[in-house]
Amino acid sequence: MRGHWVRYVAVLGAMALLGGPGSAGAADSFCEERVVHDHLAPLKRLPKLNSPARLGFGPSNLRLSTQPSLVVNEGRVGFRLRYDDGLEGPALDWRATTTFARVDWKGRVVEKLAVARKRITGGRNGGIGFTLDEDDEPGPYRLTTVITDRDGRKLGRFGSYARLMAPTQGAVLAVDPGPHRPGELVLAWIENFGTATTTFGVPWRVERFNGTAWELAPESPGGPWILPLYFASPGHSSRECVAHVSPASRGRYRVVKEVGYVWPGGRLREEGGPVDLTAEFDVL
């Protein structure tokens, strides 16, 4: 899939982001990557396909990768044979025929899109892929692969589903539920309910409500900041806390965090630039 995002990490661990010893236990409770919305869940209700990790024939260290995949805007889906640990095995002489089709949510073929045939001689060339893009119909797709030997005898039949979705921007900023007391640590993290990848850096700010408007709180950090780039994958929370604050007094506060959105074939949100996410909480 084009549009691969790289997470650029300088020397920054969870302890550095959270401000040192004493924060690790609280961070472990909230700031771990987890699924907040499973975009692939509808695929699990489709008719089951044979998608084993191991083939059941051929070299014992040869694996088949045919996992359901989420394609946002554009990308490639397919299958791949590979040997464990990247090692090569004995030479093969197999034939693979793969059918790519758009199906409905009951698994029935709506449109047969392509048929690809390939000779497989080993793990390095053991893959077939197809491209989906923004012009294709969103929804479920199915790959079905039949592998035969050189004489045409069927060795196995395998399949997998993929889902094509349009990019959506659905990130929210969350804080631990409290109750919060003056001087106690409050943690914030990002939950990405959309299909576009949410990107963000280290900076954040803290604001306090003065009765009529929000103003910068004394507890708001001022930097200096290091500049790695982090992300929250579609349907997942961030892998780390993105802000922390220990308010000194009672009142209503909010954390403000700037994020952007990217997806394959897309780019950072242009209209209005990056987006500010906010999460409010009370200190009692």
Side-chain angles (χ1 to χ4, degrees), residues 29-57:
S29 301
F30 299 104
C31 302
E32 297 178 347
E33 183 180 22
R34 61 191 180 279
V35 175
V36 295
H37 183 79
D38 187 359
H39 294 293
L40 295 178
L43 298 183
K44 300 172 185 177
R45 297 191 288 269
L46 294 173
K48 298 297 183 183
L49 300 174
N50 184 27
S51 301
R54 296 190 181 275
L55 296 176
F57 58 87

PDB file of all heavy atoms in Angstrom, residues 29-57:
ATOM      1  N   SER A  29      -2.173   2.367  32.890  1.00  0.00           N
ATOM      2  CA  SER A  29      -3.611   2.159  32.988  1.00  0.00           C
ATOM      3  C   SER A  29      -4.367   2.701  31.785  1.00  0.00           C
ATOM      4  O   SER A  29      -5.415   2.189  31.415  1.00  0.00           O
ATOM      5  CB  SER A  29      -4.138   2.832  34.265  1.00  0.00           C
ATOM      6  OG  SER A  29      -3.505   2.299  35.402  1.00  0.00           O
ATOM      7  N   PHE A  30      -3.864   3.753  31.175  1.00  0.00           N
ATOM      8  CA  PHE A  30      -4.622   4.438  30.139  1.00  0.00           C
ATOM      9  C   PHE A  30      -3.884   4.546  28.804  1.00  0.00           C
ATOM     10  O   PHE A  30      -4.510   4.485  27.752  1.00  0.00           O
ATOM     11  CB  PHE A  30      -4.981   5.856  30.609  1.00  0.00           C
ATOM     12  CG  PHE A  30      -5.819   5.882  31.843  1.00  0.00           C
ATOM     13  CD1 PHE A  30      -5.261   6.212  33.064  1.00  0.00           C
ATOM     14  CD2 PHE A  30      -7.163   5.578  31.792  1.00  0.00           C
ATOM     15  CE1 PHE A  30      -6.032   6.243  34.215  1.00  0.00           C
ATOM     16  CE2 PHE A  30      -7.945   5.604  32.936  1.00  0.00           C
ATOM     17  CZ  PHE A  30      -7.381   5.933  34.158  1.00  0.00           C
ATOM     18  N   CYS A  31      -2.584   4.741  28.836  1.00  0.00           N
ATOM     19  CA  CYS A  31      -1.861   5.126  27.626  1.00  0.00           C
ATOM     20  C   CYS A  31      -1.225   3.934  26.937  1.00  0.00           C
ATOM     21  O   CYS A  31       0.001   3.824  26.839  1.00  0.00           O
ATOM     22  CB  CYS A  31      -0.811   6.185  27.966  1.00  0.00           C
ATOM     23  SG  CYS A  31      -1.550   7.656  28.727  1.00  0.00           S
ATOM     24  N   GLU A  32      -2.042   3.034  26.473  1.00  0.00           N
ATOM     25  CA  GLU A  32      -1.610   1.892  25.685  1.00  0.00           C
ATOM     26  C   GLU A  32      -2.467   1.834  24.425  1.00  0.00           C
ATOM     27  O   GLU A  32      -3.659   2.149  24.453  1.00  0.00           O
ATOM     28  CB  GLU A  32      -1.769   0.594  26.476  1.00  0.00           C
ATOM     29  CG  GLU A  32      -0.910   0.519  27.724  1.00  0.00           C
ATOM     30  CD  GLU A  32      -1.144  -0.756  28.498  1.00  0.00           C
ATOM     31  OE1 GLU A  32      -2.136  -1.447  28.195  1.00  0.00           O
ATOM     32  OE2 GLU A  32      -0.340  -1.077  29.394  1.00  0.00           O
ATOM     33  N   GLU A  33      -1.864   1.427  23.333  1.00  0.00           N
ATOM     34  CA  GLU A  33      -2.631   1.305  22.103  1.00  0.00           C
ATOM     35  C   GLU A  33      -3.687   0.214  22.254  1.00  0.00           C
ATOM     36  O   GLU A  33      -3.408  -0.888  22.733  1.00  0.00           O
ATOM     37  CB  GLU A  33      -1.712   0.965  20.929  1.00  0.00           C
ATOM     38  CG  GLU A  33      -2.473   0.906  19.600  1.00  0.00           C
ATOM     39  CD  GLU A  33      -1.564   0.573  18.434  1.00  0.00           C
ATOM     40  OE1 GLU A  33      -0.489  -0.012  18.670  1.00  0.00           O
ATOM     41  OE2 GLU A  33      -1.938   0.893  17.296  1.00  0.00           O
ATOM     42  N   ARG A  34      -4.896   0.518  21.836  1.00  0.00           N
ATOM     43  CA  ARG A  34      -5.988  -0.446  21.886  1.00  0.00           C
ATOM     44  C   ARG A  34      -6.984  -0.107  20.783  1.00  0.00           C
ATOM     45  O   ARG A  34      -6.991   1.006  20.258  1.00  0.00           O
ATOM     46  CB  ARG A  34      -6.675  -0.435  23.254  1.00  0.00           C
ATOM     47  CG  ARG A  34      -7.295   0.890  23.623  1.00  0.00           C
ATOM     48  CD  ARG A  34      -7.725   0.920  25.088  1.00  0.00           C
ATOM     49  NE  ARG A  34      -8.330   2.190  25.439  1.00  0.00           N
ATOM     50  CZ  ARG A  34      -7.646   3.292  25.729  1.00  0.00           C
ATOM     51  NH1 ARG A  34      -6.327   3.282  25.694  1.00  0.00           N
ATOM     52  NH2 ARG A  34      -8.274   4.414  26.048  1.00  0.00           N
ATOM     53  N   VAL A  35      -7.812  -1.059  20.463  1.00  0.00           N
ATOM     54  CA  VAL A  35      -8.838  -0.854  19.440  1.00  0.00           C
ATOM     55  C   VAL A  35      -9.993  -0.076  20.058  1.00  0.00           C
ATOM     56  O   VAL A  35     -10.540  -0.480  21.086  1.00  0.00           O
ATOM     57  CB  VAL A  35      -9.329  -2.194  18.875  1.00  0.00           C
ATOM     58  CG1 VAL A  35     -10.484  -1.966  17.891  1.00  0.00           C
ATOM     59  CG2 VAL A  35      -8.191  -2.943  18.178  1.00  0.00           C
ATOM     60  N   VAL A  36     -10.357   1.044  19.437  1.00  0.00           N
ATOM     61  CA  VAL A  36     -11.512   1.821  19.894  1.00  0.00           C
ATOM     62  C   VAL A  36     -12.687   1.679  18.927  1.00  0.00           C
ATOM     63  O   VAL A  36     -13.824   1.939  19.293  1.00  0.00           O
ATOM     64  CB  VAL A  36     -11.144   3.308  20.081  1.00  0.00           C
ATOM     65  CG1 VAL A  36     -10.123   3.457  21.197  1.00  0.00           C
ATOM     66  CG2 VAL A  36     -10.627   3.940  18.789  1.00  0.00           C
ATOM     67  N   HIS A  37     -12.384   1.285  17.683  1.00  0.00           N
ATOM     68  CA  HIS A  37     -13.448   1.003  16.705  1.00  0.00           C
ATOM     69  C   HIS A  37     -12.875   0.033  15.668  1.00  0.00           C
ATOM     70  O   HIS A  37     -11.924   0.374  14.967  1.00  0.00           O
ATOM     71  CB  HIS A  37     -13.946   2.274  16.018  1.00  0.00           C
ATOM     72  CG  HIS A  37     -15.079   2.016  15.065  1.00  0.00           C
ATOM     73  ND1 HIS A  37     -16.366   1.844  15.483  1.00  0.00           N
ATOM     74  CD2 HIS A  37     -15.093   1.882  13.712  1.00  0.00           C
ATOM     75  CE1 HIS A  37     -17.144   1.619  14.437  1.00  0.00           C
ATOM     76  NE2 HIS A  37     -16.403   1.635  13.347  1.00  0.00           N
ATOM     77  N   ASP A  38     -13.449  -1.161  15.590  1.00  0.00           N
ATOM     78  CA  ASP A  38     -12.946  -2.196  14.684  1.00  0.00           C
ATOM     79  C   ASP A  38     -13.593  -2.040  13.309  1.00  0.00           C
ATOM     80  O   ASP A  38     -14.710  -2.491  13.087  1.00  0.00           O
ATOM     81  CB  ASP A  38     -13.227  -3.579  15.258  1.00  0.00           C
ATOM     82  CG  ASP A  38     -12.579  -4.692  14.448  1.00  0.00           C
ATOM     83  OD1 ASP A  38     -11.924  -4.380  13.428  1.00  0.00           O
ATOM     84  OD2 ASP A  38     -12.724  -5.866  14.830  1.00  0.00           O
ATOM     85  N   HIS A  39     -12.872  -1.410  12.383  1.00  0.00           N
ATOM     86  CA  HIS A  39     -13.416  -1.209  11.038  1.00  0.00           C
ATOM     87  C   HIS A  39     -13.530  -2.523  10.256  1.00  0.00           C
ATOM     88  O   HIS A  39     -14.235  -2.580   9.242  1.00  0.00           O
ATOM     89  CB  HIS A  39     -12.518  -0.239  10.261  1.00  0.00           C
ATOM     90  CG  HIS A  39     -12.498   1.147  10.822  1.00  0.00           C
ATOM     91  ND1 HIS A  39     -13.593   1.980  10.801  1.00  0.00           N
ATOM     92  CD2 HIS A  39     -11.506   1.861  11.430  1.00  0.00           C
ATOM     93  CE1 HIS A  39     -13.293   3.136  11.361  1.00  0.00           C
ATOM     94  NE2 HIS A  39     -12.035   3.089  11.751  1.00  0.00           N
ATOM     95  N   LEU A  40     -12.833  -3.562  10.705  1.00  0.00           N
ATOM     96  CA  LEU A  40     -12.883  -4.847  10.015  1.00  0.00           C
ATOM     97  C   LEU A  40     -13.927  -5.794  10.600  1.00  0.00           C
ATOM     98  O   LEU A  40     -14.105  -6.903  10.097  1.00  0.00           O
ATOM     99  CB  LEU A  40     -11.508  -5.517  10.044  1.00  0.00           C
ATOM    100  CG  LEU A  40     -10.405  -4.784   9.284  1.00  0.00           C
ATOM    101  CD1 LEU A  40      -9.089  -5.530   9.426  1.00  0.00           C
ATOM    102  CD2 LEU A  40     -10.763  -4.619   7.814  1.00  0.00           C
ATOM    103  N   ALA A  41     -14.618  -5.373  11.656  1.00  0.00           N
ATOM    104  CA  ALA A  41     -15.602  -6.243  12.298  1.00  0.00           C
ATOM    105  C   ALA A  41     -16.658  -6.774  11.325  1.00  0.00           C
ATOM    106  O   ALA A  41     -17.024  -7.957  11.392  1.00  0.00           O
ATOM    107  CB  ALA A  41     -16.262  -5.516  13.464  1.00  0.00           C
ATOM    108  N   PRO A  42     -17.184  -5.955  10.384  1.00  0.00           N
ATOM    109  CA  PRO A  42     -18.193  -6.492   9.464  1.00  0.00           C
ATOM    110  C   PRO A  42     -17.679  -7.655   8.609  1.00  0.00           C
ATOM    111  O   PRO A  42     -18.465  -8.510   8.185  1.00  0.00           O
ATOM    112  CB  PRO A  42     -18.560  -5.281   8.592  1.00  0.00           C
ATOM    113  CG  PRO A  42     -18.251  -4.103   9.446  1.00  0.00           C
ATOM    114  CD  PRO A  42     -17.021  -4.492  10.206  1.00  0.00           C
ATOM    115  N   LEU A  43     -16.366  -7.693   8.346  1.00  0.00           N
ATOM    116  CA  LEU A  43     -15.822  -8.803   7.556  1.00  0.00           C
ATOM    117  C   LEU A  43     -15.937 -10.127   8.299  1.00  0.00           C
ATOM    118  O   LEU A  43     -16.020 -11.193   7.676  1.00  0.00           O
ATOM    119  CB  LEU A  43     -14.360  -8.545   7.202  1.00  0.00           C
ATOM    120  CG  LEU A  43     -14.048  -7.309   6.347  1.00  0.00           C
ATOM    121  CD1 LEU A  43     -12.558  -7.268   6.031  1.00  0.00           C
ATOM    122  CD2 LEU A  43     -14.863  -7.306   5.058  1.00  0.00           C
ATOM    123  N   LYS A  44     -15.942 -10.070   9.615  1.00  0.00           N
ATOM    124  CA  LYS A  44     -15.999 -11.299  10.411  1.00  0.00           C
ATOM    125  C   LYS A  44     -17.371 -11.959  10.332  1.00  0.00           C
ATOM    126  O   LYS A  44     -17.508 -13.125  10.724  1.00  0.00           O
ATOM    127  CB  LYS A  44     -15.632 -10.982  11.858  1.00  0.00           C
ATOM    128  CG  LYS A  44     -14.227 -10.404  12.008  1.00  0.00           C
ATOM    129  CD  LYS A  44     -13.952  -9.911  13.415  1.00  0.00           C
ATOM    130  CE  LYS A  44     -12.595  -9.224  13.503  1.00  0.00           C
ATOM    131  NZ  LYS A  44     -12.326  -8.656  14.845  1.00  0.00           N
ATOM    132  N   ARG A  45     -18.365 -11.234   9.829  1.00  0.00           N
ATOM    133  CA  ARG A  45     -19.708 -11.799   9.692  1.00  0.00           C
ATOM    134  C   ARG A  45     -19.948 -12.398   8.309  1.00  0.00           C
ATOM    135  O   ARG A  45     -21.027 -12.958   8.056  1.00  0.00           O
ATOM    136  CB  ARG A  45     -20.751 -10.720   9.992  1.00  0.00           C
ATOM    137  CG  ARG A  45     -20.680 -10.199  11.432  1.00  0.00           C
ATOM    138  CD  ARG A  45     -21.878  -9.350  11.785  1.00  0.00           C
ATOM    139  NE  ARG A  45     -21.854  -8.058  11.117  1.00  0.00           N
ATOM    140  CZ  ARG A  45     -21.309  -6.961  11.635  1.00  0.00           C
ATOM    141  NH1 ARG A  45     -20.724  -7.018  12.820  1.00  0.00           N
ATOM    142  NH2 ARG A  45     -21.331  -5.814  10.994  1.00  0.00           N
ATOM    143  N   LEU A  46     -18.975 -12.283   7.424  1.00  0.00           N
ATOM    144  CA  LEU A  46     -19.088 -12.873   6.093  1.00  0.00           C
ATOM    145  C   LEU A  46     -18.800 -14.367   6.154  1.00  0.00           C
ATOM    146  O   LEU A  46     -18.230 -14.860   7.132  1.00  0.00           O
ATOM    147  CB  LEU A  46     -18.107 -12.192   5.138  1.00  0.00           C
ATOM    148  CG  LEU A  46     -18.391 -10.717   4.829  1.00  0.00           C
ATOM    149  CD1 LEU A  46     -17.253 -10.129   4.002  1.00  0.00           C
ATOM    150  CD2 LEU A  46     -19.716 -10.562   4.101  1.00  0.00           C
ATOM    151  N   PRO A  47     -19.204 -15.129   5.131  1.00  0.00           N
ATOM    152  CA  PRO A  47     -18.910 -16.574   5.118  1.00  0.00           C
ATOM    153  C   PRO A  47     -17.420 -16.834   5.344  1.00  0.00           C
ATOM    154  O   PRO A  47     -16.562 -16.137   4.800  1.00  0.00           O
ATOM    155  CB  PRO A  47     -19.353 -17.007   3.718  1.00  0.00           C
ATOM    156  CG  PRO A  47     -20.419 -16.025   3.349  1.00  0.00           C
ATOM    157  CD  PRO A  47     -19.984 -14.717   3.947  1.00  0.00           C
ATOM    158  N   LYS A  48     -17.126 -17.851   6.156  1.00  0.00           N
ATOM    159  CA  LYS A  48     -15.746 -18.145   6.503  1.00  0.00           C
ATOM    160  C   LYS A  48     -14.971 -18.635   5.274  1.00  0.00           C
ATOM    161  O   LYS A  48     -15.496 -19.356   4.430  1.00  0.00           O
ATOM    162  CB  LYS A  48     -15.682 -19.218   7.589  1.00  0.00           C
ATOM    163  CG  LYS A  48     -16.354 -18.804   8.899  1.00  0.00           C
ATOM    164  CD  LYS A  48     -15.659 -17.607   9.527  1.00  0.00           C
ATOM    165  CE  LYS A  48     -16.293 -17.242  10.868  1.00  0.00           C
ATOM    166  NZ  LYS A  48     -15.684 -16.036  11.465  1.00  0.00           N
ATOM    167  N   LEU A  49     -13.701 -18.205   5.214  1.00  0.00           N
ATOM    168  CA  LEU A  49     -12.786 -18.638   4.169  1.00  0.00           C
ATOM    169  C   LEU A  49     -11.628 -19.397   4.810  1.00  0.00           C
ATOM    170  O   LEU A  49     -11.310 -19.192   5.983  1.00  0.00           O
ATOM    171  CB  LEU A  49     -12.249 -17.437   3.383  1.00  0.00           C
ATOM    172  CG  LEU A  49     -13.280 -16.572   2.674  1.00  0.00           C
ATOM    173  CD1 LEU A  49     -12.613 -15.337   2.064  1.00  0.00           C
ATOM    174  CD2 LEU A  49     -13.992 -17.370   1.583  1.00  0.00           C
ATOM    175  N   ASN A  50     -10.998 -20.244   4.040  1.00  0.00           N
ATOM    176  CA  ASN A  50      -9.856 -20.995   4.530  1.00  0.00           C
ATOM    177  C   ASN A  50      -8.623 -20.096   4.484  1.00  0.00           C
ATOM    178  O   ASN A  50      -8.085 -19.818   3.414  1.00  0.00           O
ATOM    179  CB  ASN A  50      -9.635 -22.247   3.672  1.00  0.00           C
ATOM    180  CG  ASN A  50      -8.513 -23.117   4.207  1.00  0.00           C
ATOM    181  OD1 ASN A  50      -8.228 -23.107   5.408  1.00  0.00           O
ATOM    182  ND2 ASN A  50      -7.863 -23.861   3.330  1.00  0.00           N
ATOM    183  N   SER A  51      -8.189 -19.619   5.645  1.00  0.00           N
ATOM    184  CA  SER A  51      -7.057 -18.678   5.708  1.00  0.00           C
ATOM    185  C   SER A  51      -6.068 -19.123   6.791  1.00  0.00           C
ATOM    186  O   SER A  51      -5.846 -18.417   7.774  1.00  0.00           O
ATOM    187  CB  SER A  51      -7.552 -17.261   6.000  1.00  0.00           C
ATOM    188  OG  SER A  51      -8.448 -16.807   5.020  1.00  0.00           O
ATOM    189  N   PRO A  52      -5.463 -20.280   6.640  1.00  0.00           N
ATOM    190  CA  PRO A  52      -4.534 -20.759   7.664  1.00  0.00           C
ATOM    191  C   PRO A  52      -3.186 -20.053   7.559  1.00  0.00           C
ATOM    192  O   PRO A  52      -2.800 -19.560   6.496  1.00  0.00           O
ATOM    193  CB  PRO A  52      -4.392 -22.250   7.334  1.00  0.00           C
ATOM    194  CG  PRO A  52      -4.552 -22.291   5.844  1.00  0.00           C
ATOM    195  CD  PRO A  52      -5.572 -21.223   5.508  1.00  0.00           C
ATOM    196  N   ALA A  53      -2.457 -20.019   8.673  1.00  0.00           N
ATOM    197  CA  ALA A  53      -1.106 -19.460   8.637  1.00  0.00           C
ATOM    198  C   ALA A  53      -0.163 -20.407   7.907  1.00  0.00           C
ATOM    199  O   ALA A  53       0.732 -19.977   7.189  1.00  0.00           O
ATOM    200  CB  ALA A  53      -0.608 -19.192  10.045  1.00  0.00           C
ATOM    201  N   ARG A  54      -0.392 -21.712   8.094  1.00  0.00           N
ATOM    202  CA  ARG A  54       0.429 -22.708   7.408  1.00  0.00           C
ATOM    203  C   ARG A  54      -0.406 -23.410   6.350  1.00  0.00           C
ATOM    204  O   ARG A  54      -1.605 -23.628   6.519  1.00  0.00           O
ATOM    205  CB  ARG A  54       1.011 -23.705   8.401  1.00  0.00           C
ATOM    206  CG  ARG A  54       1.965 -23.055   9.388  1.00  0.00           C
ATOM    207  CD  ARG A  54       2.724 -24.095  10.204  1.00  0.00           C
ATOM    208  NE  ARG A  54       3.624 -23.448  11.160  1.00  0.00           N
ATOM    209  CZ  ARG A  54       4.846 -23.041  10.866  1.00  0.00           C
ATOM    210  NH1 ARG A  54       5.328 -23.207   9.632  1.00  0.00           N
ATOM    211  NH2 ARG A  54       5.610 -22.464  11.773  1.00  0.00           N
ATOM    212  N   LEU A  55       0.250 -23.797   5.268  1.00  0.00           N
ATOM    213  CA  LEU A  55      -0.467 -24.322   4.111  1.00  0.00           C
ATOM    214  C   LEU A  55      -1.088 -25.686   4.350  1.00  0.00           C
ATOM    215  O   LEU A  55      -2.166 -25.988   3.868  1.00  0.00           O
ATOM    216  CB  LEU A  55       0.490 -24.409   2.912  1.00  0.00           C
ATOM    217  CG  LEU A  55       1.058 -23.088   2.394  1.00  0.00           C
ATOM    218  CD1 LEU A  55       2.058 -23.371   1.273  1.00  0.00           C
ATOM    219  CD2 LEU A  55      -0.047 -22.197   1.895  1.00  0.00           C
ATOM    220  N   GLY A  56      -0.362 -26.568   5.058  1.00  0.00           N
ATOM    221  CA  GLY A  56      -0.806 -27.952   5.178  1.00  0.00           C
ATOM    222  C   GLY A  56      -0.207 -28.844   4.107  1.00  0.00           C
ATOM    223  O   GLY A  56      -0.501 -30.034   4.037  1.00  0.00           O
ATOM    224  N   PHE A  57       0.643 -28.275   3.275  1.00  0.00           N
ATOM    225  CA  PHE A  57       1.382 -29.026   2.258  1.00  0.00           C
ATOM    226  C   PHE A  57       2.664 -28.253   1.958  1.00  0.00           C
ATOM    227  O   PHE A  57       2.803 -27.092   2.339  1.00  0.00           O
ATOM    228  CB  PHE A  57       0.552 -29.221   0.977  1.00  0.00           C
ATOM    229  CG  PHE A  57       0.098 -27.942   0.330  1.00  0.00           C
ATOM    230  CD1 PHE A  57       0.902 -27.268  -0.585  1.00  0.00           C
ATOM    231  CD2 PHE A  57      -1.145 -27.393   0.636  1.00  0.00           C
ATOM    232  CE1 PHE A  57       0.487 -26.088  -1.172  1.00  0.00           C
ATOM    233  CE2 PHE A  57      -1.568 -26.209   0.049  1.00  0.00           C
ATOM    234  CZ  PHE A  57      -0.744 -25.558  -0.856  1.00  0.00           C
TER     235      PHE A  57
END
